[in-house]
């Protein structure tokens, strides 16, 4: 017993009735919601942009593809930058970039300018606020309840979609797509003060341990300055080492298919596809908002399951279920909202990013402390798959007049992902991460 304990003094850990990790997680959740506005935008704004400028689906899909690729490829470097410069600085910078890209998009007059705003600026910003942000928060602040916390934070993107999608759809019809873009910018910028005030980089900044640990964390050493190149080197060496394992490639391929069948296809092309069948844009946007509702439920429940069930089994089941849904989708779309499409929306919503908590858990299990960085590269594969699917589906639509081939191809890819995920071996510390 220490002298302070014998005098009845409380340690810093004991003085916090509610562990500060939960406040950090709450602010991170709000930040993810604020950054999620653009995730809802392309599907809603593609039709108004086509009507005003006459651009093809493929041209608009190119901007979305650049966004999706940068969204993923930025993630591992953002994770390394968070380790070097702190979570708060990177998060604020990301939100400012999202706000700037959304606001500047109101001035676009050509597809190339849309690529610069939608694609480059917002892609870099959202990439720094990607799911690797949730993984970094979880690993930095929590020693237990990690599956649940990662599930809740992952659901933040779905919550953002739920909040912004109906608003953006209504704004696009009422005041035009430019007004909708400004709403997205405002949502991202409104979160910046909260992050500056309440988000802390690590438990030692407050003199506490991670949630679930009893030992107080040692004060953090001063971060090296001018080490952006060092952060990039760390991200690249992590990729080099992780790429030597079969587990990394299994996770990357599966997550690439995950991205192709969510952000790439449904997120970008569901509304235009429903519009092809005579469904009003606002109605289709409302259905995607329902996906967001059930995504919250599914992802949080998946996080809870990940703490209790073999994540390999969960991934295989999630991909198989998604493939079955996509197989039936072409026959479900119509001008009216029928019970069958509602069933599809509910099932797809529950499964939307339920894959994230078990994937994060496997990265942590196999790659240890470098788990968040490895997940960054796995997430990059997710967005590469999303980008390829986005442009491919646009080309399919332009050449065939419908999306049927894209839906069937995606269903086949889900079957492949289910098999690959189920075959991931049980292993610990598969590589030594230097």
């Amino acid at each position: 017993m220490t002298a302070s304990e014998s005098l009845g003094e409380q340690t810093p850990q004991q003085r916090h009735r509610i562990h500060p990790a939960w406040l950090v997680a709450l602010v991170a959740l709000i930040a993810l919601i604020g950054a999620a506005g653009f995730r809802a935008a392309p599907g809603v704004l593609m039709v108004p942009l086509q009507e005003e400028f006459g651009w093809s689906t493929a041209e608009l899909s190119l901007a979305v593809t650049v966004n999706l690729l940068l969204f993923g490829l930025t993630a591992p470097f953002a994770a390394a930058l968070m380790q070097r410069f702190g979570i708060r600085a990177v998060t604020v910078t990301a939100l400012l970039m999202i706000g700037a890209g959304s606001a500047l998009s109101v001035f676009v007059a050509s597809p190339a300018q849309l690529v610069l705003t939608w694609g480059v600026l917002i892609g870099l910003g959202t990439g720094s606020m990607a799911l690797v942000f949730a993984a970094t928060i979880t690993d930095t602040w929590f020693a237990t309840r990690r599956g649940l916390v990662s599930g809740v934070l992952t659901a933040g993107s779905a919550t953002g979609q739920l909040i912004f999608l109906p608003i953006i759809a209504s704004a696009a019809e009422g005041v035009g797509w430019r007004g909708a873009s400004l709403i997205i910018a405002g949502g991202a910028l409104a979160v910046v003060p909260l992050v500056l005030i309440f988000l802390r980089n690590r438990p030692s900044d407050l003199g506490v341990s991670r949630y679930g640990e009893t030992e107080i964390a040692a004060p953090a050493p001063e971060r090296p300055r001018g080490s952006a190149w060092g952060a990039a080197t760390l991200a690249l060496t992590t990729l080099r080492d992780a790429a030597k394992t079969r587990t990394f490639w299994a996770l990357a391929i599966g997550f690439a298919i995950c991205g192709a069948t969510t952000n790439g296809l449904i997120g970008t092309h569901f509304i235009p596809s429903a519009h092809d069948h005579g469904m009003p844009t606002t109605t289709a946007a409302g259905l995607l908002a329902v996906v967001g509702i059930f995504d919250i439920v599914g992802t949080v429940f998946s996080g809870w399951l990940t703490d209790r069930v073999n994540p390999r089994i969960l991934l295989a089941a999630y991909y198989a279920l998604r493939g079955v849904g996509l197989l039936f989708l072409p026959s479900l779309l119509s001008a009216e909202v029928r019970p069958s499409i509602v069933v599809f929306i509910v099932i797809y919503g529950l499964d939307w990013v339920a894959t994230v908590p078990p994937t994060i858990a496997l990265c942590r299990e196999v790659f240890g402390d470098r788990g968040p960085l490895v997940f960054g590269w796995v997430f990059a594969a997710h967005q590469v798959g999303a980008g390829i699917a986005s442009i491919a589906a646009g080309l399919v639509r332009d050449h065939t007049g419908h999306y049927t081939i894209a839906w069937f191809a995606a269903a086949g890819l889900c079957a492949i992902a289910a098999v690959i995920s189920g075959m991931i071996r049980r292993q610990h510390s598969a590589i030594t991460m230097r």
Side-chain angles (χ1 to χ4, degrees), residues 173-208:
E173 285 200 347
V175 298
W177 64 269
R178 291 178 177 84
S181 297
L182 292 176
I183 290 174
I184 298 169
L189 296 176
V191 185
V192 171
L194 285 176
V195 173
L196 287 172
I197 296 170
F198 295 109
L199 190 63
R200 293 293 182 268
N201 293 319
R202 61 193 68 187
S204 59
D205 292 349
L206 298 176
V208 300

Side-chain angles (χ1 to χ4, degrees), residues 127-150:
S128 300
M129 287 289 298
L131 298 181
V132 70
F133 172 64
T136 301
I137 291 288
T138 301
D139 278 13
T140 302
W141 281 90
F142 291 86
T144 59
R145 304 290 181 88
R146 286 173 164 179
L148 178 62
V149 174
S150 64

Side-chain angles (χ1 to χ4, degrees), residues 48 63 125 168 179 210 317 355 373:
I168 293 170
R210 293 186 299 175
T355 55
L373 279 172

Side-chain angles (χ1 to χ4, degrees), residues 67-355:
N67 172 277
L68 293 172
L69 290 174
L70 288 177
F71 183 45
L73 294 174
T74 303
F77 297 99
L81 287 170
M82 287 178 186
Q83 289 189 5
R84 296 284 182 173
F85 300 110
I87 298 172
R88 181 165 52 182
V90 176
T91 303
V92 168
T93 302
L95 289 168
L96 292 174
M97 293 184 73
I98 295 168
S102 298
L104 290 174
S105 68
V106 303
F107 302 108
V108 301
S110 69
Q113 293 172 343
L114 195 66
V115 169
L116 289 176
T117 54
W118 274 22
V120 177
L121 272 178
I122 299 179
L124 291 172
T126 53
S128 300
M129 287 289 298
L131 298 181
V132 70
F133 172 64
T136 301
I137 291 288
T138 301
D139 278 13
T140 302
W141 281 90
F142 291 86
T144 59
R145 304 290 181 88
R146 286 173 164 179
L148 178 62
V149 174
S150 64
V152 171
L153 292 181
T154 300
S157 294
T159 306
Q161 183 185 55
L162 169 64
I163 292 172
F164 282 103
L165 189 54
I167 297 174
I168 293 170
S170 298
E173 285 200 347
V175 298
W177 64 269
R178 291 178 177 84
S181 297
L182 292 176
I183 290 174
I184 298 169
L189 296 176
V191 185
V192 171
L194 285 176
V195 173
L196 287 172
I197 296 170
F198 295 109
L199 190 63
R200 293 293 182 268
N201 293 319
R202 61 193 68 187
S204 59
D205 292 349
L206 298 176
V208 300
S209 64
R210 293 186 299 175
Y211 179 82
E213 287 181 339
T214 57
E215 182 179 351
I216 304 300
E222 184 178 355
R223 295 187 192 92
R225 298 183 179 181
S227 55
W229 176 249
T233 302
L234 176 63
L236 292 172
T237 55
T238 297
L239 173 62
R240 179 198 64 195
D241 294 337
K244 298 175 183 177
T245 69
R246 292 183 179 180
T247 297
F248 171 79
W249 290 108
L251 291 171
I253 292 171
F255 227 45
I257 294 172
C258 177
T261 53
T262 52
N263 300 94
L265 282 176
I266 297 294
T268 304
H269 293 286
F270 177 81
I271 293 176
S273 181
H275 187 266
D276 287 343
H277 287 77
M279 184 179 291
T281 298
T282 51
T283 303
L287 288 175
L288 272 188
V290 175
V291 169
I293 294 174
F294 285 94
D295 182 19
I296 297 169
V297 177
T299 307
V300 173
F301 184 58
S302 177
W304 182 84
L305 283 176
T306 300
D307 288 330
R308 294 162 174 81
V309 179
N310 184 343
R312 297 157 184 81
I313 296 175
L314 294 178
L315 284 177
Y318 295 155
Y319 288 129
L321 182 64
R322 186 179 301 178
V324 172
L326 287 167
L327 196 61
F328 286 98
L329 180 58
S331 64
L332 303 180
L333 289 170
S334 65
E336 300 176 351
V337 178
R338 299 174 178 173
S340 55
I341 192 64
V342 174
V343 172
F344 169 84
I345 288 295
V346 170
I347 293 175
Y348 218 83
L350 291 171
D351 192 68
W352 184 261
V353 285
T355 55

